[in-house]
Amino acid sequence: MERLKKLIRDIPDFPKEGIIFKDITTLLSDKRAFARAIDTLANRYIDRKIDLVVGIESRGFVIGAALAYRLGAGVILVRKPGKLPYKTHKTVYELEYGTDQLEIHEDAISPGQNVLIADDLIATGGTVKASIDLVKKLKGNIVECAFLVELEFLKGREKLNGYPVYSLLKF
Ligand code: AMP
């Protein structure tokens, strides 16, 4: 895991001053590291009867789709407003300044399906909290929220009302 952590590149002051952006593209492009990361995450859920993996736009699509394939699950997309073509449910969530929205197709999940939520990184937890709300609206059974990276000092997992969180690489 230390090798994987070293493959994540810090970009200071991106997208704005004061933020250290964790650039995972340098891990994704390393074939052994990418396989190791996905296999380690997937092994955790192999016996959990996951029906669907939710990928959160947009790096979450990469992690979510790879995990879904390994788990023999379907993959569904949580997207920024106006991107999904069919009827959607929307949720508004807080950003550092102002608010943003996420959407899911209203028929993406059947009640009781076992859902794993995936994203590349949990920071303050606002994005995944909004995604949890969307999955709950569709009555999906949230098994866990899985991340490649967790920025522990931001305490994002405390925002999730007890929904289980797992992250591979902690900073
Ligand atoms: P949050 O809602 O604060 O947990 O932010 C999570 C979302 O923003 C994820 O989709 C991340 O890709 C992105 N993100 C937030 N902070 C960072 C960071 N420091 N480095 C890379 N991505 C980040």
Side-chain angles (χ1 to χ4, degrees), residues 34-55:
F34 180 53
R36 179 82 201 284
I38 296 300
D39 287 348
T40 309
L41 283 174
N43 286 342
R44 182 176 169 86
Y45 303 108
I46 212 90
D47 296 323
R48 301 292 299 275
K49 298 188 166 59
I50 304 294
D51 297 306
L52 292 167
V53 180
V54 172

Side-chain angles (χ1 to χ4, degrees), residues 18-154:
I19 305 278
I20 298 176
F21 191 86
K22 294 287 180 192
D23 177 15
I24 63 159
T25 62
T26 36
L27 186 156
L28 298 180
S29 62
D30 181 309
K31 60 187 173 190
R32 283 173 50 216
F34 180 53
R36 179 82 201 284
I38 296 300
D39 287 348
T40 309
L41 283 174
N43 286 342
R44 182 176 169 86
Y45 303 108
I46 212 90
D47 296 323
R48 301 292 299 275
K49 298 188 166 59
I50 304 294
D51 297 306
L52 292 167
V53 180
V54 172
I56 305 175
E57 184 158 1
S58 58
R59 288 174 298 270
F61 295 167
V62 178
I63 309 298
L67 271 178
Y69 183 75
R70 278 285 273 113
L71 293 170
V75 60
I76 55 183
L77 310 180
V78 162
R79 299 208 66 178
K80 302 272 168 62
K83 303 278 190 180
L84 288 171
Y86 186 59
K87 286 180 263 180
T88 61
H89 287 304
K90 297 179 188 33
T91 185
V92 179
Y93 65 104
E94 301 290 322
L95 293 175
E96 203 176 341
Y97 305 110
T99 61
D100 209 345
Q101 283 184 40
L102 286 173
E103 296 186 352
I104 195 168
H105 273 154
E106 65 175 25
D107 61 353
I109 300 169
S110 301
Q113 282 191 299
N114 291 329
V115 175
L116 176 68
I117 297 179
D119 202 359
D120 65 324
L121 181 143
I122 178 169
T124 65
T127 308
V128 67
K129 170 75 172 55
S131 305
I132 287 172
D133 291 345
L134 289 170
V135 172
K136 272 176 25 191
K137 208 176 232 172
L138 299 182
K139 301 188 168 55
N141 173 43
I142 297 168
V143 173
E144 197 155 73
C145 304
F147 303 90
L148 203 53
V149 179
E150 178 173 6
L151 302 183
E152 286 187 298
F153 60 96
L154 293 173

Side-chain angles (χ1 to χ4, degrees), residues 122-125 128 144-145 147 150-152 154-168 170:
I122 178 169
T124 65
V128 67
E144 197 155 73
C145 304
F147 303 90
E150 178 173 6
L151 302 183
E152 286 187 298
L154 293 173
K155 302 188 191 309
R157 60 170 71 218
E158 290 176 13
K159 209 179 261 174
L160 307 185
N161 307 325
Y163 280 98
V165 170
Y166 179 77
S167 60
L168 202 56
K170 296 177 201 306

